[in-house]
Amino acid sequence: MQVLYLDPGHAAELVDPGDGPRPRGYYWLDIERTETGWSQYANRWLDAHLHEAHLREASLVEGLNGRLPFYDGTDAYDLLVMRTLDVESPAEAPMTRPVAIFLTPRVVVSIRPPGDPVFARLRERLLGGLRKAPGSTAACFALLVNQIVGQLLDRRETVSELVGQWQDDLLEHDQPFDEWRSLLRLRNHLRRLEDVSEAQLDALSGWREQTSLELDAAHQGHFEALEKDLRRVFEHAAAMQSAIDSLVQTHYAIVGQQTNEILRVLTIISVVFLPLNLITGIFGMNFAHIPFLQSPYAPWLTVGLMGALAALLFFWLGRRRWF
């Protein structure tokens, strides 16, 4: 657990969790979910008693991993559960992990999965003085949400490149496409990401409407921009699902076209050779008297007739544009 003291307009400072609050400024407690005893510190820094249900939801990985983002508030604090990208998840299976954020006018408490670097860059910039402390906990919360949404936005390019590569592979006739499992896996995860993005929009919108924190025009503008970014994630997930559906339909169209080409060739061969087989069958009958059977010119006349008939059929099929 790290406790950052944020004095608006100044660089952040690391303070000891056991220290008491200072009269000005506010604090950001960055906590990993597996840390023990964090709730006692959070209760003291928040100057509020966290509801037991909220503590369970924030502490138990099993309790949050399957949940969509949501907002819940009390008279003393606000709770938002957002979902950030699991950076270790593969490109064909983008997964998210929950981040719980408690918010009061003096304290922001973020509870993230262990080892998750979602806030690492922001924390380093604040401590290094590269970014001044935001003016309020609401502004700090906007920065935290921006880091969460930014990771989701960054994954869009990777997913788009992957779908584009699969499209090229599907249109390649020389090699069979063998990434169907990954393709359908990505579609399932994109559907989940679409639900997550929609729920995050609802949670953020609900918090803006019901929070007791003062949100000025600048804050409202920041959160409107974040909601636009979340809509971009939502729309990208929906667009990639449509692209995957189109790839599947394109694959079946290509397979159908190839099957039709094969059947057309076989039909042409059948149309040409069936009359020739008929002639061969007639002259192969075990009859004593067949016209021209005893003539020395019969084989040549028969072969010539068969060749002329084959040429005539090829000419007729070509005029009808069968090949």
Side-chain angles (χ1 to χ4, degrees), residues 138 143 222 294 312:
L143 290 179
H222 291 158
Q294 303 300 325
L312 180 63

Side-chain angles (χ1 to χ4, degrees), residues 295-306:
S295 173
Y297 302 105
W300 306 111
L301 290 173
T302 305
V303 171
L305 177 63
M306 295 171 68

Side-chain angles (χ1 to χ4, degrees), residues 87-281:
V87 294
E88 297 180 356
S89 61
E92 68 274 10
M95 302 178 65
T96 58
R97 301 202 288 180
V99 176
I101 301 176
F102 293 95
L103 192 62
T104 71
R106 288 295 309 275
V107 179
V108 180
V109 179
S110 60
I111 304 169
R112 54 185 171 82
D116 195 310
V118 57
F119 301 134
R121 185 169 179 269
L122 174 62
R123 189 170 57 246
E124 292 172 0
R125 289 174 61 85
L126 289 172
L127 290 173
L130 299 177
R131 187 180 189 110
K132 302 301 182 181
S136 65
T137 55
C140 182
F141 171 64
L143 290 179
L144 298 183
V145 176
N146 184 63
Q147 300 301 305
I148 292 172
V149 177
Q151 287 195 345
L152 297 174
L153 287 172
D154 292 342
R155 183 55 66 93
R156 295 182 307 162
E157 182 177 357
T158 304
V159 172
S160 298
E161 290 178 355
L162 185 60
V163 173
Q165 180 61 47
W166 284 340
Q167 179 177 348
D168 294 339
D169 294 343
L170 269 173
L171 298 177
E172 185 67 39
H173 299 290
D174 298 336
Q175 297 180 351
F177 184 75
D178 56 358
E179 296 289 343
W180 290 109
R181 184 182 296 272
S182 298
L183 185 70
L184 297 178
R185 185 184 182 195
L186 175 60
R187 195 191 187 290
N188 291 334
H189 282 275
L190 286 173
R191 186 183 299 112
R192 173 67 178 176
L193 183 59
E194 186 179 13
D195 293 338
V196 166
S197 301
E198 186 176 21
Q200 298 208 132
L201 274 169
D202 293 340
L204 198 57
S205 176
W207 173 79
R208 289 176 59 192
E209 294 174 357
Q210 302 179 41
T211 183
S212 59
L213 298 179
E214 295 184 4
L215 301 179
D216 57 22
H219 293 148
Q220 296 288 0
H222 291 158
F223 287 108
E224 288 175 2
L226 289 172
E227 289 180 357
K228 289 181 180 179
D229 289 340
L230 283 171
R231 290 191 187 95
R232 289 163 60 193
V233 175
F234 175 85
E235 292 169 357
H236 179 264
M240 288 297 100
Q241 290 181 74
S242 299
I244 291 174
D245 292 339
S246 298
L247 286 181
V248 175
Q249 295 174 5
T250 301
H251 167 74
Y252 283 114
I254 292 173
V255 170
Q257 182 180 7
Q258 292 174 343
T259 302
N260 291 336
E261 290 291 334
I262 295 172
L263 290 176
R264 186 172 66 170
V265 172
L266 294 177
T267 302
I268 292 173
I269 294 174
S270 299
V271 169
V272 172
F273 281 93
L274 278 176
L276 305 184
N277 289 335
L278 177 61
I279 295 173
T280 302

